[in-house]
Amino acid sequence: MASGARAAGPEDRTGSPGRRGEKAVSAPGGDGVVAGTLKSRGSPARSVVASPRPVKAKAGREAARRRLQLLPGTQAQGPGEGAAEEEGEPLPSVPEEAQAEARPLPPICVSPMRGMWRDEKVALYCDKVLQDCKAEDADEAMSKYLSEKLKLKDRWLGVWKTNPELFFVKYEETSIPFVGILVEVTCTPHQSSTSCFKVTVSVAEPFSSNIANIPRGLVDEILEELEHCVPLLEVYPVEGQDSEIRDVALALEVVRFFYDFLWRDWDDEESSENYTALIEERINLWCDIQDGTIPGPIAQRFKKTLEKYKNKRVELIEYQSNIKEDPSAAEAVECWKKYYEIVMLCGLLKMWEDLRLRVHGPFFPRILRRRKGKRDFGKTITHIVAKVMTTNMVKDLSSDTFLQQHDDLDLALDSCYSGDTVVIFPGEYQAVNLALLTDDIIIKGVGKREEIRITSEPSHDSFVVSKADNVKLTHLSLIQQGTVDGIVVVESGHMTLENCVLRCEGTGVCVLPGAALTLTDSEITGAQGAGVELYPGSMAVLERNEIHHCNTLGTSDSSKSTLGGVSMKVLPAPKLKMTNNHIYSNSSYGISINQPTEQFFIVEEALNKGAASGDKKDETVLSKVMHNLNLDMSDNKTEANVKGDIRIVTS
C-alpha cells in the first residue's frame, strides 16, 4: 500500500482503495446518460499552449502512468522540468482541428465533507466505515463502503481529472494544473474486496473540457489506449443529476480524504492494537491544522515533513527499480541511506500524530547543549554588546566588575557562564544562541526598549528557547520573523521577561510542562496562536502586561478557533496568577481554558454537563472551575475580544 493508484491531480490525491490488486472494475458500455440537461456553470474553458503526446503502446503508457501516480505533488514535475531545460524551444500550440472548441465543464458536486465537525468525521470513519478493523483490513473496509454506495446508481456523468502528462509531452504547468474531461461513467460493484476500483468511461456529449482547444481525437485515442478504464477516484460527479449521485459523490470524497490525509504507508506494516484510535488522532491533527489550533507556520512544517516523507519514499522505489541486477556495494549503501531517511521522517510524523507528544511541534528537546555552570575561579563577567564601547557605557558599574566587550550578541552569549550579565546597547541584533539558553544569566537592554531590537533568524525553527534554572530578559524588543516555534519557549526551569516587547509572527510565549514563566510590564502582539500558551503542569505569573491582536491566523471556520490571548491546556492543570493585565482585541477569546478531549474531566459534574463546551455562561460554574485550576486572577481588563473575555472549551 505504499503507492497510490491515481495520477496526481489538482487536489494532491495520492492514493486509492484496493491498491493490492489490479483487477479492473468495469461494465460494458450502455446507453449514454443524457447530458443536455446539464448547464455549463463551471469555470470557462480556455485555450492553452502545449504539445500533444504521441499515442504509444499500451504497456509503455501504463508504465508511465503508474510512475506518475507515485508523485505526491499536485502536478507532475517531469514535463515542467523538461520545459525548463529547453527554454529556447517554444511550446507549440495544440493543433486546431475542424471542430468546435470544447465547452466549459459543468460544476462538480460540492462535498459536505468540508462542513463536517471533527466528531462527525470521527463517527463516520471510526464507527461507520472502519468499524474497529485492523490496518491491514482498511482497504477492504473502504472498498465495502464504496461498493455499497455505487449500488445506488451504476451510470452517471462526471468530470475525469487526470495529470496533464497523460495528454501532453510539453506544457506550461501553471496553465494546465490538470486535464478535465466530461465523461459518462459506467460502474458495477466489484466481486473481490482486493480488486482495484476502476470504471468504464466514455466521452459525454457535448464534448466538454477545461482546455478549450484540446483535440477530441487525442482524448478518444488515449481512452482507447486505456481501454476506456480509469481509476474511480479520478472521477468527480457533476451537479444536476439524481439525488443518489450526491451520495456517490460523498462516498468518493470520504475515500479520497482517507487516502489523502488519514492513511500512512507504514500502517499495514506495523501492528496496531486500536487502528481506529490512531485514525481519530489523525483526524484531530487535521482539524487542529484547519481550525488554527496549530498555527499556520507550524502546520506548514508538518505538511513539509509529510511531503518530504512521500518524496523520499518515491525516490527509494524509483532507485530500486533502476537496479537491474544484484546491487553493487555503492548501490546497497545508497538504498540503506534512503531507507533510514524515510525511517527518521516516519518517526517525526508519528510524534506529530500522538497528541501527548505533539505540543507545538514534534516534541523533542530543542536544546541539546549542556550547562556550563560557574567559572572555575568563581567570578562573573558583564558582557557589553555594542559596536564601540565608551566609558560612559560603564560609568554606573562598580569598579571591581569584570568586563568583556563584543560587537556580536551571538559571541557574547557563547562566552557566558552562569551568573553572567549581558548588557545590550541600542541597535539591531541576531543571535542563534538565544535558542540555546542553558545557564542562569541576565540579558538586559540599556536605553529605550524599542531601540534594542533582536530579530530571529528566518532559516531557524526557534527564536528564544530556555532550559536554564533561572534566566532573565529585560528591556528588549524581540521581533519574530520566519521562525515557526513560539517567539519564546520555556522548555524547563524558570524564565523572567520584564519590560519587553514581543512582536510575534508564529506562536506566542509557550511554557511547556513543568516549566515556569514570570512575565511583567511587557507587550505581546501579532501571534497567530495565543499570546501566552500554558501547557499542562506549567506555572506562570502575569502582571501589568498588554496582550492584544493575537490568534491572527485566518481559518476556514472561525467558530472552531478556541485560542485566546492567554490559553491554558489542562491535564494536569497549570498554575496561573494574573494581575492588572490588559487583554484586548484578540481574534478569539481573551482567556481560554482548553480540555484536550471531552472524556477528560478536570472539574466537578456540573462542568461535565456542558460548561466545558463553552455553552454555559454560569459565573458560579466558572468560579468553581477557576478555583479547581489554581487560577488567581484579579484586576485584569479584558475587552474587544472577538468571542468574549473568558471561556472553557473542549477541542
Side-chain angles (χ1 to χ4, degrees), residues 284-300 302 352 358-361 507 553 563:
N284 285 330
L285 174 60
W286 184 86
C287 291
D288 286 347
I289 291 173
Q290 294 300 113
D291 66 23
T293 300
I294 296 178
I298 297 177
Q300 282 300 111
F302 169 75
W352 271 93
R358 191 158 74 232
V359 186
H360 63 294
T507 49
L553 180 68
L563 297 177

Side-chain angles (χ1 to χ4, degrees), residues 190-335:
H190 63 279
Q191 301 302 315
S192 170
S193 62
T194 59
S195 62
C196 180
F197 272 87
K198 288 195 174 182
V199 288
T200 298
V201 298
S202 58
V203 178
E205 299 296 343
F207 178 55
S208 305
S209 174
N210 62 323
I211 301 174
N213 59 334
I214 189 170
R216 169 70 179 266
L218 176 63
V219 176
D220 290 336
E221 287 176 345
I222 287 177
L223 284 177
E224 187 71 25
E225 285 284 331
L226 299 175
E227 296 181 343
H228 290 268
C229 203
V230 302
L232 174 59
L233 295 188
E234 289 185 4
V235 186
Y236 297 75
V238 299
E239 290 185 349
Q241 304 180 79
D242 296 341
S243 59
E244 291 89 348
I245 301 304
R246 287 194 170 274
D247 294 333
V248 172
L250 173 60
L252 289 172
E253 195 60 29
V254 166
V255 177
R256 290 190 193 105
F257 181 84
F258 177 79
Y259 287 106
D260 282 353
F261 302 109
L262 305 182
W263 172 258
R264 301 287 185 264
D265 291 314
W266 62 78
D267 280 357
D268 59 355
E269 299 169 3
E270 300 179 356
S271 59
S272 175
E273 295 181 0
N274 192 342
Y275 183 59
T276 52
L278 182 60
I279 293 299
E280 182 174 355
E281 289 293 348
R282 290 173 183 166
I283 291 173
N284 285 330
L285 174 60
W286 184 86
C287 291
D288 286 347
I289 291 173
Q290 294 300 113
D291 66 23
T293 300
I294 296 178
I298 297 177
Q300 282 300 111
R301 183 203 291 174
F302 169 75
K303 292 175 182 177
K304 287 179 180 178
T305 303
L306 182 58
E307 182 179 351
K308 186 176 182 180
Y309 168 83
K310 292 179 179 179
N311 288 337
K312 291 293 182 182
R313 191 173 178 101
V314 170
E315 285 179 17
L316 177 60
I317 293 171
E318 292 182 341
Y319 187 82
Q320 290 173 324
S321 66
N322 290 329
I323 300 175
K324 304 302 181 184
E325 301 176 354
D326 291 338
S328 64
E331 289 172 331
V333 168
E334 187 65 21
C335 281

